[in-house]
Amino acid sequence: MVGWAIAVHGGAGVDPNLPTERQEQAKQLLTRCLNLGISALRSSASAIDVVELVVRELETDPIFNSGRGSALTEKGTVEMEASIMDGVGRRCGAVSGLSTVKNPVSLARLVMDKSPHSYLAFSGAEDFAKQMGVEREENDYFVTEDNVGMLKVAKEANSIVFDYRIPTTGYESCGAGVESPIRMNGLPISVYAPETVGCVVVDSQGRCAAATSTGGLMNKRIGRIGDSPLIGAGTYACDVCGVSCTGEGEAIIRGTLAREVAAVMEYKGLALQEAVDFVIKERLDEGQAGLIAVSKTGEVAYGFNCVGMFRGCATEDGFMEVGIWE
């Protein structure tokens, strides 16, 4: 028996001018989700059940970029993606290109549990959702007024915007004629503020699990897939640890960030926080990202190399923290 631990995130890379009211809303949601997970763990729920439960809650609330409140594509629609992984047997499921599924993380869980596959996308994933009878909504359910405004800003700036939680005023200078020092795959990005949601858990049996869900980039191309549904990049769990990442998806993919945390623990013998710090420093190149992690021994850790990360964590011994900044 080990002490359980849980961590949640709502994205790395936060606008330093984010209004205090929105900061408090985000922290309240993270606290609510932590308490939901803690209650389930105290009732002996398994790690895989808890990560799904918590990410469903995050997807249902429009504050962060997943499920309802997802970032919009260039055509004003949503294409959501998620993944889930059980460290027991390294079982996993992932989905991309969803436009009607209310809780993408639960469809990913069904891919893991009820299909012979690990990853379904677009029309195939939607057909599977119908077959499984999951709760579905019209695309308009996922579209919020904030997102519509942020998409307008992105289109006027002729740029990809990482998320909607930047105020829609005060960025008049973020047009195509102003080159940003921040780049994605070598191309300048006008505004950087990614938000994805994720949860990692180790239960009292030492079983680790992880889940990640997102709407992706604001004004992204139709068909773009990020790191969140990619096992080993945005999400990973094994018998050593569970990891969920957030940030610049292309950099996370190149660095296979989530798997790297487990790898350096296995092969370099690093403790969890040491592994997180090493991967953030050595595997992102010029990318900006963050991650949360738990170990099979009940440790919890996080790290990021950008301005802030919405996160919360708790352990069985009574420790609890919710924060945004360093």
Side-chain angles (χ1 to χ4, degrees), residues 218-235:
M218 186 66 72
N219 199 29
K220 65 183 179 181
R221 282 183 177 272
I222 295 291
R224 183 262 182 182
I225 294 172
D227 67 285
S228 296
L230 300 185
I231 300 300
T235 305

Side-chain angles (χ1 to χ4, degrees), residues 84-101:
I84 191 167
M85 190 164 186
D86 189 349
V88 179
R90 287 193 285 269
R91 300 167 59 247
C92 62
V95 289
S96 286
L98 300 179
S99 58
T100 69
V101 176

